[in-house]
């Protein structure tokens, strides 16, 4: 049996889609569910197109967690991938999935992590600080934003001509390249 994974996404969902396409091709793990905290998130459109069931839960349920945990358990979910998910994961889910919840962050943590550091905020801060390089971090999730153990990082040099927008697009390229394979390694090895 291959590991069954749920993706949590708050927004656009391009990483979620990339993970689904990779898993359908590799057949080493299955994305069984997509869960969001936003009814209007574009990730639901992507889910529909890909034939993956998607759900929305309100913020309060992401604070409490029991209904989400029930859904995960009912679907025999082995692990959770956060791909552009902006809320904290409740303790009840962290306890049920020790070292089985991973996140991708669009900077080289511990730099540019923590509350408020998401999306373009990250890339603007990187550019303003005149950083010479940036990249992506894939890490385990714990009760604090962006502080779990690091699994993988990849980076690139920032050119003086780079803008926050061009940095964002280079970061996305790195995410698409590495996130599926790193997720596969994490979850397939655990099964
Ligand atoms: C990605 O850059 C990811 O690192 C961050 O949020 C962004 C999500 O983009 N956590 P998308 O929704 O996958 O398009």
């Amino acid at each position: 049996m291959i590991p069954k994974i749920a993706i949590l996404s708050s927004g656009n969902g391009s990483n979620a889609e990339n993970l689904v396409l990779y898993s359908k091709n590799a057949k080493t793990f299955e994305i069984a569910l997509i869960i969001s905290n936003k009814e209007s998130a574009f990730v639901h459109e992507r889910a529909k197109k890909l034939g993956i069931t998607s759900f929305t839960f309100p913020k309060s349920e992401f604070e409490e967690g029991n209904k989400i945990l029930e859904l995960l358990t009912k679907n025999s979910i082995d692990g959770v991938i956060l791909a552009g998910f902006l809320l904290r994961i409740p303790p009840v889910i962290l306890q049920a999935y020790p070292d089985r919840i991973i996140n991708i962050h669009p900077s080289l943590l511990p730099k540019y992590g923590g509350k408020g550091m998401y999306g373009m905020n990250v890339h603007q801060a990187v550019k303003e600080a005149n950083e010479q390089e940036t990249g992506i971090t894939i890490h385990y999730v714990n009760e604090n934003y962006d502080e779990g153990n690091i699994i993988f990082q990849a980076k690139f040099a920032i050119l003086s001509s780079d803008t926050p927008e061009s940095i964002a697009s280079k970061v996305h390229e790195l995410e698409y390249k590495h996130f599926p394979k790193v997720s596969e390694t994490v979850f397939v090895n655990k099964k």
Side-chain angles (χ1 to χ4, degrees):
M1 283 255 286
I2 60 172
K4 284 180 84 178
I5 305 299
I7 293 180
L8 269 58
S9 165
S10 299
N12 179 25
S14 67
N15 275 287
E17 176 162 357
N18 188 46
L19 283 157
V20 170
L21 294 175
Y22 179 94
S23 66
K24 285 188 176 199
N25 188 42
K27 298 186 175 66
T28 46
F29 64 103
E30 180 198 345
I31 307 296
L33 298 176
I34 294 180
I35 302 174
S36 183
N37 57 314
K38 282 217 178 84
E39 190 82 61
S40 60
F42 190 63
V43 71
H44 293 297
E45 306 298 316
R46 295 187 193 264
K48 207 190 268 174
K49 187 182 76 183
L50 294 160
I52 310 283
T53 319
S54 71
F55 296 84
T56 304
F57 287 95
K59 190 167 182 233
S60 56
E61 180 50 34
F62 283 98
E63 278 150 14
E64 206 242 355
N66 284 321
K67 287 210 183 75
I68 300 166
L69 182 57
E70 209 177 282
L71 178 69
L72 298 176
T73 313
K74 208 173 76 190
N75 285 278
S76 311
I77 296 298
D78 298 299
V80 178
I81 299 177
L82 313 191
F85 187 68
L86 298 178
L87 302 179
R88 228 188 284 264
I89 302 302
V92 70
I93 297 180
L94 290 173
Q95 279 150 23
Y97 287 90
D99 282 348
R100 285 165 188 268
I101 308 178
I102 66 172
N103 179 43
I104 189 158
H105 186 80
S107 76
L108 295 170
L109 289 175
K111 284 184 157 186
Y112 305 100
K115 204 166 165 45
M117 275 294 153
Y118 60 87
M120 288 308 290
N121 296 352
V122 175
H123 311 307
Q124 261 147 13
V126 164
K127 176 72 188 172
E128 271 163 32
N130 265 317
E131 291 285 352
Q132 299 303 296
E133 57 181 25
T134 190
I136 61 167
T137 302
I138 299 167
H139 64 92
Y140 288 110
V141 171
N142 66 15
E143 54 290 340
N144 298 318
Y145 281 111
D146 304 329
E147 285 182 15
N149 287 341
I150 292 174
I151 302 163
F152 175 88
Q153 291 187 307
K155 58 188 179 181
F156 61 90
I158 298 174
L159 310 175
S160 56
S161 56
D162 270 322
T163 60
E165 289 71 24
S166 70
I167 294 172
S169 112
K170 289 176 185 181
V171 162
H172 262 121
E173 286 311 313
L174 273 190
E175 293 183 334
Y176 302 150
K177 179 169 176 207
H178 295 290
F179 201 20
K181 284 206 174 88
V182 174
S183 302
E184 179 179 52
T185 308
V186 168
F187 293 114
V188 172
N189 286 343
K190 283 220 166 85
K191 186 72 184 172

